[in-house]
Amino acid sequence: QVQVAESGGGLVQPGGSLRLSCAASGSISNISIMGWYRQAPGKERELVARITGGAGTNYADSVKGRFTISRDNAKNTVSLQMNSLKPEDTAVYYCNVRARANQRLSFEDYWGRGTLVTVSS
């Protein structure tokens, strides 16, 4: 009913920048929160940043001042601008969309397949 697809991962040198994009599509009635999570090898998935429909934002302490999340409500998209990247930012980044599908009464979490970000020289 709701599909989520990320794009924009890749290999970047330390100190570099990368922009991730995510689009939600399908039978969507309403979207509340959109966000980005990441999972590094051997670690649990963690919140990177999230944004509400009213543009309220939350960031992990480790990315504050370096990453910026934004969304386009009309297009059901969310982006993550990542600057001053560090090797410890290496992970698979997942887009999360909390949405209410058509014909449904409640909001559910939908996930993309993930996109790999590698920060290395």
Side-chain angles (χ1 to χ4, degrees), residues 19-59:
R19 186 176 182 86
L20 304 182
S21 298
C22 170
S25 60
S27 302
I28 299 172
S29 176
N30 195 6
I31 295 177
S32 58
I33 298 173
M34 304 182 83
W36 290 93
Y37 289 71
R38 68 186 180 186
Q39 187 167 18
K43 295 187 177 181
E44 294 186 353
R45 190 175 298 188
E46 63 175 1
L47 173 69
V48 177
R50 60 187 176 189
I51 184 169
T52 68
T57 57
N58 292 105
Y59 293 93

Side-chain angles (χ1 to χ4, degrees), residues 49 61 66 94 97 104 111-112:
D61 288 343
R66 300 189 297 122
Y94 296 91
V97 175
R104 293 291 185 98
W111 294 89

Side-chain angles (χ1 to χ4, degrees), residues 17-108:
S17 298
L18 210 57
R19 186 176 182 86
L20 304 182
S21 298
C22 170
S25 60
S27 302
I28 299 172
S29 176
N30 195 6
I31 295 177
S32 58
I33 298 173
M34 304 182 83
W36 290 93
Y37 289 71
R38 68 186 180 186
Q39 187 167 18
K43 295 187 177 181
E44 294 186 353
R45 190 175 298 188
E46 63 175 1
L47 173 69
V48 177
R50 60 187 176 189
I51 184 169
T52 68
T57 57
N58 292 105
Y59 293 93
D61 288 343
S62 59
V63 307
K64 283 181 180 177
R66 300 189 297 122
F67 291 10
T68 302
I69 190 170
S70 60
R71 71 188 271 178
D72 185 326
N73 291 331
K75 297 180 179 179
N76 291 338
T77 59
V78 61
S79 297
L80 185 69
Q81 178 66 41
M82 305 185 293
N83 299 327
S84 302
L85 282 160
K86 304 175 181 180
E88 50 263 43
D89 294 318
T90 295
V92 177
Y93 284 70
Y94 296 91
C95 180
N96 170 260
V97 175
R98 185 165 296 171
R100 184 164 60 88
N102 290 338
Q103 313 300 324
R104 293 291 185 98
L105 296 178
S106 61
F107 285 82
E108 299 178 34

